[in-house]
Short mmCIF file of all heavy atoms in Angstrom, two decimals:
data_model
loop_
_atom_site.label_atom_id
_atom_site.label_comp_id
_atom_site.label_asym_id
_atom_site.label_seq_id
_atom_site.Cartn_x
_atom_site.Cartn_y
_atom_site.Cartn_z
N ASN A 337 -4.12 -11.27 -5.78
CA ASN A 337 -3.87 -10.99 -4.36
C ASN A 337 -2.38 -11.06 -4.03
O ASN A 337 -1.89 -10.34 -3.15
CB ASN A 337 -4.66 -11.97 -3.49
CG ASN A 337 -6.15 -11.68 -3.51
OD1 ASN A 337 -6.56 -10.53 -3.65
ND2 ASN A 337 -6.97 -12.71 -3.39
N SER A 338 -1.64 -11.91 -4.74
CA SER A 338 -0.19 -12.00 -4.55
C SER A 338 0.49 -10.70 -4.95
O SER A 338 1.36 -10.18 -4.22
CB SER A 338 0.37 -13.17 -5.37
OG SER A 338 1.78 -13.17 -5.34
N TYR A 339 0.09 -10.14 -6.09
CA TYR A 339 0.66 -8.86 -6.52
C TYR A 339 0.25 -7.74 -5.55
O TYR A 339 1.04 -6.82 -5.29
CB TYR A 339 0.19 -8.51 -7.94
CG TYR A 339 1.04 -9.15 -9.01
CD1 TYR A 339 0.61 -10.27 -9.70
CD2 TYR A 339 2.29 -8.62 -9.35
CE1 TYR A 339 1.39 -10.87 -10.69
CE2 TYR A 339 3.07 -9.19 -10.33
CZ TYR A 339 2.63 -10.31 -11.00
OH TYR A 339 3.41 -10.89 -11.96
N CYS A 340 -0.96 -7.82 -5.02
CA CYS A 340 -1.43 -6.83 -4.06
C CYS A 340 -0.55 -6.82 -2.81
O CYS A 340 -0.13 -5.74 -2.35
CB CYS A 340 -2.89 -7.14 -3.68
SG CYS A 340 -3.60 -6.03 -2.45
N GLU A 341 -0.23 -7.97 -2.30
CA GLU A 341 0.61 -8.05 -1.10
C GLU A 341 2.03 -7.59 -1.38
O GLU A 341 2.65 -6.92 -0.54
CB GLU A 341 0.61 -9.49 -0.56
CG GLU A 341 -0.73 -9.93 0.00
CD GLU A 341 -1.29 -8.96 1.04
OE1 GLU A 341 -0.54 -8.58 1.96
OE2 GLU A 341 -2.47 -8.57 0.92
N LYS A 342 2.56 -7.92 -2.55
CA LYS A 342 3.91 -7.46 -2.91
C LYS A 342 3.95 -5.93 -3.01
O LYS A 342 4.93 -5.30 -2.61
CB LYS A 342 4.35 -8.08 -4.23
CG LYS A 342 4.70 -9.55 -4.15
CD LYS A 342 5.51 -10.03 -5.36
CE LYS A 342 4.71 -10.00 -6.63
NZ LYS A 342 5.47 -10.56 -7.78
N ALA A 343 2.87 -5.35 -3.53
CA ALA A 343 2.81 -3.89 -3.64
C ALA A 343 2.83 -3.23 -2.26
O ALA A 343 3.50 -2.22 -2.05
CB ALA A 343 1.56 -3.49 -4.42
N LYS A 344 2.09 -3.80 -1.33
CA LYS A 344 2.01 -3.22 0.02
C LYS A 344 3.38 -3.17 0.70
O LYS A 344 3.71 -2.20 1.39
CB LYS A 344 1.03 -4.01 0.88
CG LYS A 344 -0.43 -3.79 0.49
CD LYS A 344 -1.38 -4.63 1.34
CE LYS A 344 -2.82 -4.42 0.92
NZ LYS A 344 -3.78 -5.23 1.68
N THR A 345 4.21 -4.20 0.48
CA THR A 345 5.53 -4.23 1.13
C THR A 345 6.43 -3.12 0.62
O THR A 345 7.37 -2.70 1.32
CB THR A 345 6.22 -5.59 0.92
OG1 THR A 345 6.48 -5.78 -0.48
CG2 THR A 345 5.36 -6.73 1.43
N LEU A 346 6.17 -2.61 -0.60
CA LEU A 346 7.01 -1.56 -1.17
C LEU A 346 6.81 -0.22 -0.47
O LEU A 346 7.60 0.72 -0.67
CB LEU A 346 6.70 -1.40 -2.67
CG LEU A 346 7.14 -2.56 -3.55
CD1 LEU A 346 6.51 -2.47 -4.93
CD2 LEU A 346 8.67 -2.58 -3.68
N LEU A 347 5.79 -0.11 0.36
CA LEU A 347 5.52 1.14 1.08
C LEU A 347 6.17 1.17 2.46
O LEU A 347 6.11 2.19 3.15
CB LEU A 347 4.01 1.35 1.23
CG LEU A 347 3.20 1.43 -0.07
CD1 LEU A 347 1.71 1.52 0.25
CD2 LEU A 347 3.63 2.62 -0.92
N ASN A 348 6.79 0.08 2.87
CA ASN A 348 7.29 -0.05 4.24
C ASN A 348 8.28 1.04 4.64
O ASN A 348 8.33 1.46 5.80
CB ASN A 348 7.94 -1.42 4.45
CG ASN A 348 6.91 -2.54 4.49
OD1 ASN A 348 5.72 -2.29 4.65
ND2 ASN A 348 7.35 -3.77 4.30
N ASP A 349 9.10 1.50 3.70
CA ASP A 349 10.18 2.43 4.05
C ASP A 349 9.75 3.90 4.03
O ASP A 349 10.57 4.78 4.29
CB ASP A 349 11.36 2.24 3.08
CG ASP A 349 12.01 0.87 3.24
OD1 ASP A 349 11.89 0.29 4.33
OD2 ASP A 349 12.61 0.39 2.26
N PHE A 350 8.49 4.17 3.72
CA PHE A 350 8.02 5.55 3.66
C PHE A 350 7.41 5.96 5.01
O PHE A 350 6.84 5.14 5.73
CB PHE A 350 6.99 5.73 2.54
CG PHE A 350 7.57 5.61 1.16
CD1 PHE A 350 7.65 4.38 0.53
CD2 PHE A 350 8.08 6.72 0.50
CE1 PHE A 350 8.19 4.24 -0.74
CE2 PHE A 350 8.63 6.62 -0.76
CZ PHE A 350 8.69 5.37 -1.38
N ASP A 351 7.53 7.24 5.35
CA ASP A 351 7.16 7.71 6.69
C ASP A 351 5.72 8.23 6.82
O ASP A 351 5.14 8.17 7.90
CB ASP A 351 8.11 8.83 7.12
CG ASP A 351 9.54 8.33 7.27
OD1 ASP A 351 9.72 7.15 7.64
OD2 ASP A 351 10.47 9.11 6.99
N ASN A 352 5.17 8.77 5.75
CA ASN A 352 3.86 9.42 5.84
C ASN A 352 2.76 8.36 5.96
O ASN A 352 2.29 7.80 4.97
CB ASN A 352 3.62 10.32 4.63
CG ASN A 352 2.41 11.21 4.78
OD1 ASN A 352 1.38 10.79 5.31
ND2 ASN A 352 2.51 12.44 4.32
N GLU A 353 2.32 8.11 7.19
CA GLU A 353 1.37 7.02 7.44
C GLU A 353 0.00 7.29 6.80
O GLU A 353 -0.67 6.36 6.35
CB GLU A 353 1.20 6.80 8.95
CG GLU A 353 2.43 6.25 9.64
CD GLU A 353 2.85 4.89 9.11
OE1 GLU A 353 1.95 4.11 8.70
OE2 GLU A 353 4.06 4.60 9.07
N GLU A 354 -0.41 8.55 6.75
CA GLU A 354 -1.72 8.88 6.18
C GLU A 354 -1.76 8.56 4.68
O GLU A 354 -2.72 7.95 4.19
CB GLU A 354 -2.03 10.36 6.42
CG GLU A 354 -3.44 10.75 5.99
CD GLU A 354 -3.74 12.21 6.21
OE1 GLU A 354 -2.79 13.03 6.17
OE2 GLU A 354 -4.93 12.54 6.40
N ILE A 355 -0.71 8.95 3.97
CA ILE A 355 -0.65 8.68 2.53
C ILE A 355 -0.47 7.18 2.28
O ILE A 355 -1.08 6.61 1.37
CB ILE A 355 0.50 9.47 1.86
CG1 ILE A 355 0.30 10.97 2.07
CG2 ILE A 355 0.57 9.15 0.38
CD1 ILE A 355 -0.90 11.56 1.40
N LYS A 356 0.37 6.54 3.09
CA LYS A 356 0.54 5.09 2.95
C LYS A 356 -0.79 4.36 3.09
O LYS A 356 -1.10 3.44 2.33
CB LYS A 356 1.55 4.57 3.99
CG LYS A 356 2.99 4.83 3.64
CD LYS A 356 3.92 4.59 4.82
CE LYS A 356 3.95 3.16 5.28
NZ LYS A 356 4.98 2.94 6.34
N GLN A 357 -1.59 4.80 4.07
CA GLN A 357 -2.89 4.15 4.28
C GLN A 357 -3.80 4.37 3.07
O GLN A 357 -4.56 3.46 2.69
CB GLN A 357 -3.56 4.68 5.54
CG GLN A 357 -4.83 3.94 5.92
CD GLN A 357 -4.62 2.44 6.03
OE1 GLN A 357 -3.75 1.96 6.76
NE2 GLN A 357 -5.42 1.66 5.30
N SER A 358 -3.74 5.54 2.47
CA SER A 358 -4.55 5.80 1.27
C SER A 358 -4.15 4.86 0.13
O SER A 358 -5.01 4.33 -0.59
CB SER A 358 -4.40 7.25 0.81
OG SER A 358 -5.20 8.11 1.59
N LEU A 359 -2.85 4.65 -0.03
CA LEU A 359 -2.38 3.77 -1.10
C LEU A 359 -2.73 2.31 -0.82
O LEU A 359 -3.08 1.56 -1.74
CB LEU A 359 -0.87 3.93 -1.29
CG LEU A 359 -0.44 5.27 -1.92
CD1 LEU A 359 1.07 5.46 -1.81
CD2 LEU A 359 -0.88 5.34 -3.38
N ILE A 360 -2.66 1.91 0.44
CA ILE A 360 -3.07 0.54 0.81
C ILE A 360 -4.57 0.36 0.58
O ILE A 360 -5.02 -0.67 0.05
CB ILE A 360 -2.69 0.24 2.28
CG1 ILE A 360 -1.17 0.12 2.42
CG2 ILE A 360 -3.37 -1.03 2.77
CD1 ILE A 360 -0.67 0.10 3.85
N THR A 361 -5.35 1.38 0.95
CA THR A 361 -6.79 1.33 0.71
C THR A 361 -7.09 1.28 -0.78
O THR A 361 -8.04 0.60 -1.22
CB THR A 361 -7.49 2.55 1.35
OG1 THR A 361 -7.18 2.61 2.73
CG2 THR A 361 -9.01 2.47 1.18
N MET A 362 -6.28 1.98 -1.58
CA MET A 362 -6.44 1.93 -3.04
C MET A 362 -6.23 0.51 -3.55
O MET A 362 -7.01 0.01 -4.38
CB MET A 362 -5.46 2.88 -3.72
CG MET A 362 -5.50 2.84 -5.25
SD MET A 362 -7.03 3.52 -5.93
CE MET A 362 -6.62 5.28 -5.95
N LEU A 363 -5.20 -0.16 -3.06
CA LEU A 363 -4.96 -1.55 -3.46
C LEU A 363 -6.16 -2.43 -3.10
O LEU A 363 -6.64 -3.21 -3.93
CB LEU A 363 -3.71 -2.09 -2.76
CG LEU A 363 -2.36 -1.78 -3.39
CD1 LEU A 363 -1.24 -2.04 -2.39
CD2 LEU A 363 -2.14 -2.63 -4.65
N ASP A 364 -6.64 -2.30 -1.87
CA ASP A 364 -7.78 -3.10 -1.43
C ASP A 364 -9.02 -2.79 -2.26
O ASP A 364 -9.80 -3.68 -2.60
CB ASP A 364 -8.05 -2.86 0.06
CG ASP A 364 -6.94 -3.39 0.95
OD1 ASP A 364 -6.21 -4.30 0.50
OD2 ASP A 364 -6.80 -2.90 2.08
N TYR A 365 -9.20 -1.51 -2.58
CA TYR A 365 -10.35 -1.09 -3.39
C TYR A 365 -10.29 -1.74 -4.78
O TYR A 365 -11.30 -2.24 -5.29
CB TYR A 365 -10.35 0.43 -3.52
CG TYR A 365 -11.34 0.94 -4.54
CD1 TYR A 365 -12.70 1.01 -4.25
CD2 TYR A 365 -10.91 1.34 -5.81
CE1 TYR A 365 -13.60 1.47 -5.19
CE2 TYR A 365 -11.81 1.79 -6.75
CZ TYR A 365 -13.15 1.85 -6.45
OH TYR A 365 -14.05 2.30 -7.39
N VAL A 366 -9.11 -1.75 -5.39
CA VAL A 366 -8.95 -2.29 -6.74
C VAL A 366 -9.29 -3.78 -6.78
O VAL A 366 -9.99 -4.25 -7.68
CB VAL A 366 -7.51 -2.04 -7.26
CG1 VAL A 366 -7.17 -2.95 -8.43
CG2 VAL A 366 -7.35 -0.58 -7.67
#
């Protein structure tokens, strides 16, 4: 879960919210 949260913060600077949400959902799914 620690690595999961660190991964999510790496998406903060990207603009495409739809794709960011897909990647966050992928993390949660894994």
Side-chain angles (χ1 to χ4, degrees):
N337 289 328
S338 172
Y339 276 102
C340 178
E341 292 308 310
K342 287 196 294 184
K344 288 178 181 178
T345 64
L346 291 167
L347 301 176
N348 289 344
D349 295 336
F350 291 89
D351 296 327
N352 190 321
E353 292 299 328
E354 186 181 28
I355 301 294
K356 282 167 64 174
Q357 187 54 54
S358 281
L359 289 168
I360 290 169
T361 304
M362 177 69 84
L363 276 164
D364 292 337
Y365 169 78
V366 162

